[in-house]
Amino acid sequence: MSKKKEVTTETQILEAAKHVFQNKGMDGARMQEIADEAKINKAMLHYYYRSKQLLFEAVFKNAFLLLAPQLNKVLNDDSSIEDKIRNFTSNYISFINKHPYIPNFIIQELNRNPNFISNISEQAIFPNIDKFKKQVEIEVQQGILKPIAAEQLFIHLLALNVFPFIAKPLVKAFLHLEDKDFKQFMESRKKEVADFIIHSIKA
Amino acid sequence: MSKKKEVTTETQILEAAKHVFQNKGMDGARMQEIADEAKINKAMLHYYYRSKQLLFEAVFKNAFLLLAPQLNKVLNDDSSIEDKIRNFTSNYISFINKHPYIPNFIIQELNRNPNFISNISEQAIFPNIDKFKKQVEIEVQQGILKPIAAEQLFIHLLALNVFPFIAKPLVKAFLHLEDKDFKQFMESRKKEVADFIIHSIKA
DNA sequence: TTTTGGTTTAACCAAGTGGTTAACAAATGT
DNA sequence: ACATTTGTTAACCACTTGGTTAAACCAAAA
């Protein structure tokens, strides 16, 4: 096994593919555009990744592996529900500011091909809600939280944090925000969302 | 002006285009597929709508005109904030059950081409937040609501209602739901979401 | 130096793509 | 009745698409 330039070319391709796929989606992306952006010959894309579909899947899994730990942290560590909500809300918004394309990319392509999730949902990294659920039940029983289904709370948390990024053009239009204002709006949501949730669920 | 079959053919095309565009998006849709589904010759698409882009825009505006009144009702009628939240949450979820493709379609294509929203945001139908904002301020001042920015509340409301539909494949996977369970989950959210918001904001 | 193996390239290809055209059919107007 | 406009069709076209191939390249092993 010689490796010569394998590493650089292969990663160059993946980086370019990330950028193009995440901006244009599977259908809108063009292999030639990826090759141009990676500054390599188009044939190299197939040499390393065989087909557009497989290159896309590599990008998709790569994105999902970046996102999953963010969720797992909330679901599996031992801090209180309140702390988890505060931490997640703050961390997630910072995370997305660094990778603004990810949530939309994942959701967009998952809607295009819903079967695709079974490829991933079996992996160990895939977020599991069980521990979070038990913890909510305990805190409800202890009188820390008002009665609430953990599933609903979890989706509330996701919705409040993820939606504004996915619907960014819509939010900007509704609230008459420029890009700079939008960023500020999201920054203030770090505290706003956490407070909003905790006000609602604390006994 | 003669009309012969204009009406039926033109609407047949629009219906087929709706279906195809909303399932596959602008890039994934094929003119031939739309023609096949409308059971007419492909040339008719261009005869009535000139180009793929214009046909797409017709579909897009059509979808937006269906969605906007749902929001305007919340923003512009005179009931209390609490009533508005309860009504919207219940009505919106029912509305999406009838048109499950709409929110994802709009957000997906708006992210693909964010400039596109300026085509629509100038129209009178475009939701305006001003009245809602004043109303929130008044109810806060009257001590009915805890202090909260109307903009944040509005996005909270949208997020909690819209997100689960957009992220349906993800929600299903996280919570291990089948389609039937998902529908039931969304049904229970009609009350759940409204209660959740109101618990949080009521003084 | 020569051989060997993975790496890279330009040229190519078949299958689709949105869009057009010219001829034809069906109404409508006179 | 005839002419004119409107609706419909099949065939066609230029161009783009993902993918292939055969030859060239080039570092390291022999």
Side-chain angles (χ1 to χ4, degrees):
Chain A
M1 291 282 183
S2 70
K3 285 198 176 176
K4 289 210 294 185
K5 296 194 62 188
E6 237 183 51
V7 200
T8 63
T9 306
E10 194 170 347
T11 54
Q12 264 178 344
I13 293 175
L14 194 67
E15 285 308 306
K18 260 193 216 177
H19 188 233
V20 173
F21 275 130
Q22 282 156 357
N23 277 318
K24 314 226 167 158
M26 170 67 167
D27 292 328
R30 297 287 165 254
M31 295 297 266
Q32 188 59 59
E33 190 182 349
I34 296 174
D36 291 346
E37 195 158 317
K39 286 171 196 149
I40 48 100
N41 189 285
K42 182 164 69 88
M44 301 305 284
L45 301 181
H46 296 94
Y47 181 78
Y48 284 106
Y49 292 92
R50 295 193 59 107
S51 70
K52 187 185 184 184
Q53 177 65 26
L54 287 176
L55 177 54
F56 174 79
E57 288 178 19
V59 170
F60 188 91
K61 282 171 187 167
N62 193 288
F64 201 86
L65 288 185
L66 225 55
L67 190 65
Q70 298 285 324
L71 297 178
N72 283 325
K73 203 175 156 195
V74 185
L75 293 169
N76 296 328
D77 81 356
D78 286 316
S79 57
S80 70
I81 296 289
E82 174 168 351
D83 284 349
K84 280 179 171 174
I85 289 168
R86 291 201 186 279
N87 282 332
F88 176 74
T89 299
S90 176
N91 290 342
Y92 183 83
I93 292 178
S94 297
F95 171 74
I96 298 301
N97 277 330
K98 282 195 206 110
H99 309 275
Y101 50 82
I102 284 192
N104 194 46
F105 173 69
I106 288 182
I107 284 173
Q108 200 173 120
E109 297 303 327
L110 231 41
N111 271 304
R112 207 179 53 87
N113 182 9
N115 309 25
F116 202 73
I117 201 160
S118 47
N119 287 19
I120 324 165
S121 63
E122 290 151 8
Q123 303 196 20
I125 329 97
F126 193 80
N128 183 301
I129 202 185
D130 292 346
K131 182 170 179 184
F132 178 78
K133 187 175 179 180
K134 279 196 189 108
Q135 201 182 347
V136 169
E137 285 165 1
I138 290 172
E139 292 202 15
V140 167
Q141 215 174 347
Q142 291 176 331
I144 301 172
L145 303 181
K146 290 184 201 157
I148 186 168
E151 290 87 350
Q152 296 284 1
L153 177 58
F154 179 60
I155 300 303
H156 292 342
L157 180 65
L158 275 188
L160 290 166
N161 282 294
V162 179
F163 174 81
F165 286 108
I166 298 175
K168 177 174 173 181
L170 218 51
V171 171
K172 281 174 60 182
F174 282 150
L175 305 185
H176 310 295
L177 305 178
E178 294 305 310
D179 272 320
K180 208 190 64 181
D181 307 317
F182 178 81
K183 205 175 176 185
Q184 201 177 345
F185 180 74
M186 291 312 297
E187 198 57 35
S188 70
R189 275 182 83 83
K190 285 186 182 177
K191 186 170 187 310
E192 200 75 37
V193 165
D195 287 347
F196 181 77
I197 297 176
I198 288 160
H199 279 159
S200 185
I201 63 173
K202 261 219 159 174
Chain B
M1 292 282 182
S2 68
K3 285 198 175 175
K4 288 210 301 188
K5 296 193 64 191
E6 239 183 49
V7 199
T8 63
T9 306
E10 194 170 348
T11 55
Q12 264 177 343
I13 292 175
L14 195 67
E15 285 307 307
K18 261 193 219 178
H19 189 233
V20 174
F21 276 129
Q22 283 156 357
N23 278 319
K24 312 224 168 159
M26 171 66 168
D27 292 329
R30 297 286 164 253
M31 295 297 266
Q32 189 58 60
E33 189 181 350
I34 296 174
D36 291 346
E37 195 158 315
K39 286 170 196 151
I40 47 100
N41 189 285
K42 182 164 69 87
M44 300 306 284
L45 302 181
H46 296 95
Y47 181 78
Y48 283 107
Y49 293 92
R50 297 193 57 107
S51 69
K52 187 185 185 184
Q53 178 65 26
L54 288 175
L55 177 54
F56 174 79
E57 289 178 18
V59 170
F60 189 91
K61 283 171 187 168
N62 193 289
F64 201 86
L65 289 184
L66 226 56
L67 190 66
Q70 298 285 326
L71 297 178
N72 284 324
K73 205 176 155 196
V74 186
L75 293 170
N76 296 328
D77 82 354
D78 286 314
S79 56
S80 70
I81 296 288
E82 174 166 353
D83 283 351
K84 280 178 170 175
I85 289 169
R86 291 201 186 281
N87 281 333
F88 177 74
T89 299
S90 176
N91 290 343
Y92 183 84
I93 293 177
S94 297
F95 171 75
I96 298 302
N97 277 330
K98 283 194 206 110
H99 309 275
Y101 51 81
I102 283 192
N104 194 47
F105 173 68
I106 288 182
I107 284 173
Q108 202 173 118
E109 298 302 328
L110 231 40
N111 272 303
R112 207 179 53 86
N113 182 8
N115 309 24
F116 202 72
I117 201 161
S118 47
N119 286 19
I120 324 166
S121 64
E122 291 150 7
Q123 303 195 21
I125 328 96
F126 193 81
N128 183 301
I129 202 187
D130 292 345
K131 183 171 180 184
F132 178 77
K133 187 174 178 180
K134 278 195 189 109
Q135 201 182 347
V136 169
E137 286 165 2
I138 289 171
E139 292 202 16
V140 167
Q141 213 175 350
Q142 290 175 332
I144 301 172
L145 303 180
K146 288 183 203 159
I148 187 169
E151 290 88 350
Q152 297 282 1
L153 177 57
F154 180 61
I155 301 302
H156 291 344
L157 180 64
L158 275 187
L160 290 165
N161 282 295
V162 179
F163 174 81
F165 286 109
I166 297 175
K168 178 174 173 180
L170 219 51
V171 171
K172 282 174 60 182
F174 283 149
L175 306 183
H176 310 295
L177 304 178
E178 294 304 310
D179 273 320
K180 209 190 65 181
D181 307 317
F182 179 81
K183 204 175 176 185
Q184 202 178 343
F185 180 75
M186 291 312 298
E187 198 57 35
S188 70
R189 275 182 83 82
K190 284 186 184 177
K191 188 171 185 308
E192 200 75 36
V193 165
D195 287 347
F196 180 78
I197 297 176
I198 287 159
H199 280 159
S200 185
I201 63 173
K202 261 221 160 172

